Amino acid sequence: MAIAVFDYAAWVLRYPEFGAVSEQRAALFFAEAGLYLDNTDASPVQDVAMRLVLLNMATAHIAALSGALNADGKPSGLVGRVSSASEGSVSVTTELGHVPGSAAWFQQTSYGLSFWQATKGYRSAVYVAPQPYNFEPWAGSTWRR
């Protein structure tokens, strides 16, 4: 069974902004990323190296949503992307928009949007053609027309 294995050092090398996230916490984010992209042989992404890149993107997205980039390490509490902000008396407006599926959730961070765009080809139906039908009722029988 070929699965993508989380490599903390490689993940922090690619996403250095998450260097303060512990290896154990990052591994939990990676495990959660498996909810969004199957990390088994049944995955639509059969190339394990490509699957690891995608899972690392999703891991960064989950880490950012979980507040890993905030000074206090806590989530901001905002849901959706920031659509407007002002400075005087501080005002922030967020929105999820009218995007079908779970795109709005992924658009909350640049990591999630990268994941969403990179997996575009895997989110469509796959047609499996039926096997040819070779039934000839008169072949091999004594019945003739």
Side-chain angles (χ1 to χ4, degrees):
M1 178 168 168
I3 63 165
V5 179
F6 183 62
D7 180 349
Y8 176 76
W11 183 70
V12 170
L13 183 63
R14 170 59 183 92
Y15 302 103
E17 60 273 31
F18 294 108
V21 176
S22 72
E23 186 170 351
Q24 294 79 13
R25 189 171 185 209
L28 291 172
F29 293 147
F30 184 82
E32 187 176 338
L35 297 173
Y36 303 99
L37 178 63
D38 185 7
N39 191 17
T40 68
D41 288 335
S43 176
V45 182
Q46 289 294 298
D47 181 349
V48 178
M50 176 61 69
R51 191 183 320 145
L52 180 60
V53 170
L54 294 170
L55 285 167
N56 283 341
M57 284 181 194
T59 301
H61 176 65
I62 293 165
L65 290 179
S66 298
L69 293 177
N70 298 342
D72 61 1
K74 296 179 182 175
S76 68
L78 297 175
V79 177
R81 68 177 192 84
V82 174
S83 59
S84 68
S86 57
E87 192 173 325
S89 202
V90 186
S91 172
V92 176
T93 306
T94 61
E95 68 180 3
L96 280 176
H98 301 288
V99 184
S102 45
W105 184 77
F106 284 103
Q107 289 177 354
Q108 294 182 79
T109 69
S110 60
Y111 317 106
L113 185 56
S114 295
F115 175 86
W116 186 257
Q117 286 301 109
T119 58
K120 182 171 53 174
Y122 300 105
R123 288 192 308 273
S124 60
V126 176
Y127 175 74
V128 178
Q131 294 296 318
Y133 187 67
N134 293 324
F135 179 70
E136 296 178 16
W138 58 87
S141 72
T142 56
W143 180 76
R144 300 266 190 246
R145 236 165 108 147

